[in-house]
Amino acid sequence: GAGVSQSPSNKVTEKGKDVELRCDPISGHTALYWYRQSLGQGLEFLIYFQGNSAPDKSGLPSDRFSAERTGGSVSTLTIQRTQQEDSAVYLCASSVRQGVYNEQFFGPGTRLTVL
Amino acid sequence: AQSVSQHNHHVILSEAASLELGCNYSYGGTVNLFWYVQYPGQHLQLLLKYFSGDPLVKGIKGFEAEFIKSKFSFNLRKPSVQWSDTAEYFCAVRNQAGTALIFGKGTTLSVSS
């Protein structure tokens, strides 16, 4: 079946511009996660959505970052006034639901380059 | 705060050599541990996971990992690597809230044929 999809696959933007990154989770998955993978830094958690519950935003690095999830499915991560340090691969993952036993399935990521 | 340390940044092996990649985590309570792999040009995928029970966990492609609570470790092993194991390997622990994974910085494995 279809996995997690993300768009665009690559995004180049100028410093100060806003960007939107999209994630389509696996159908039926109620939990959705955003991570950021910077060179040499591994993956950092950004935000987590579970159904209609309030999201866990504890990983967002600044108030320039926000995310929403419409209809419990598609999610958009928005970065306002981008900075060069925002350059990274942004990964989305989904799981059947929150819980200890539920594997997170990752998308291919969006590579963001801020010039 | 919880953290994960992977001590080997880049490991280079010949085919048929044995592999052990180190992973240590900081949290002392109940832990759920994972190893993910990212092959060149592919998505992150789960290799194996530990939740409870037998501390020796077997995963896909002949990989295994051992949970040693006293050492806060979850090292990944494979008796005989193949060229196709060339990839980046990430160790992760579920955060206390259960809402995310905390990843190590990854280990790049290069296997020469």
Side-chain angles (χ1 to χ4, degrees):
Chain A
V4 177
S5 60
Q6 294 186 244
S7 60
S9 55
N10 280 284
K11 177 72 177 177
V12 180
T13 191
E14 294 179 347
K15 178 180 171 181
K17 296 283 180 70
D18 297 351
V19 295
E20 286 189 352
L21 312 179
R22 177 187 168 106
C23 171
D24 281 273
I26 293 171
S27 178
H29 282 195
T30 60
L32 187 147
Y33 315 76
W34 282 98
Y35 293 87
R36 177 170 70 174
Q37 185 175 19
S38 305
L39 192 62
Q41 294 300 312
L43 285 84
E44 306 169 77
F45 164 70
L46 297 177
I47 189 169
Y48 160 80
F49 295 92
Q50 169 56 42
N52 296 321
S53 303
D56 177 355
K57 304 179 182 180
S58 60
L60 294 178
S62 78
D63 58 9
R64 296 186 295 104
F65 288 72
S66 62
E68 61 178 23
R69 189 176 185 193
T70 53
S73 182
V74 171
S75 176
T76 302
L77 177 69
T78 301
I79 308 174
Q80 295 178 308
R81 305 180 303 281
T82 52
Q83 304 294 313
Q84 288 182 332
E85 61 262 28
D86 299 334
S87 296
V89 177
Y90 289 82
L91 292 170
C92 177
S94 70
S95 64
V96 173
R97 58 186 178 276
Q98 178 192 3
V100 168
Y101 302 103
N102 294 305
E103 177 184 349
Q104 293 183 25
F105 293 84
F106 284 82
T110 294
R111 181 175 298 278
L112 174 67
T113 303
V114 182
L115 301 175
Chain B
Q2 288 177 277
S3 64
V4 175
S5 297
Q6 292 182 244
H7 311 296
N8 314 104
H9 178 63
H10 192 181
V11 173
I12 302 172
L13 295 173
S14 299
E15 274 196 322
S18 63
L19 170 71
E20 181 161 3
L21 301 183
C23 173
N24 287 91
Y25 60 92
S26 64
Y27 179 56
T30 301
V31 289
N32 307 126
L33 295 157
F34 306 80
W35 276 97
Y36 277 83
V37 61
Q38 189 169 29
Y39 297 103
Q42 295 189 26
H43 306 184
L44 268 172
Q45 58 184 285
L46 183 67
L47 262 184
L48 48 77
K49 58 191 175 188
Y50 171 80
F51 294 129
S52 63
D54 189 345
L56 185 61
V57 179
K58 297 200 182 293
I60 61 171
K61 304 187 181 186
F63 285 91
E64 64 180 30
E66 185 174 12
F67 169 57
I68 303 180
K69 188 174 182 179
S70 61
K71 295 185 178 180
F72 297 87
S73 70
F74 190 56
N75 292 355
L76 182 70
R77 300 194 293 245
K78 186 170 184 178
S80 175
V81 295
Q82 300 173 312
W83 176 81
S84 58
D85 294 324
T86 295
E88 191 158 16
Y89 293 81
F90 294 93
C91 182
V93 63
R94 192 179 302 277
N95 68 356
Q96 291 181 47
T99 56
L101 298 177
I102 299 168
F103 285 85
K105 293 187 178 182
T107 297
T108 301
L109 172 64
S110 299
V111 180
S112 57
S113 57

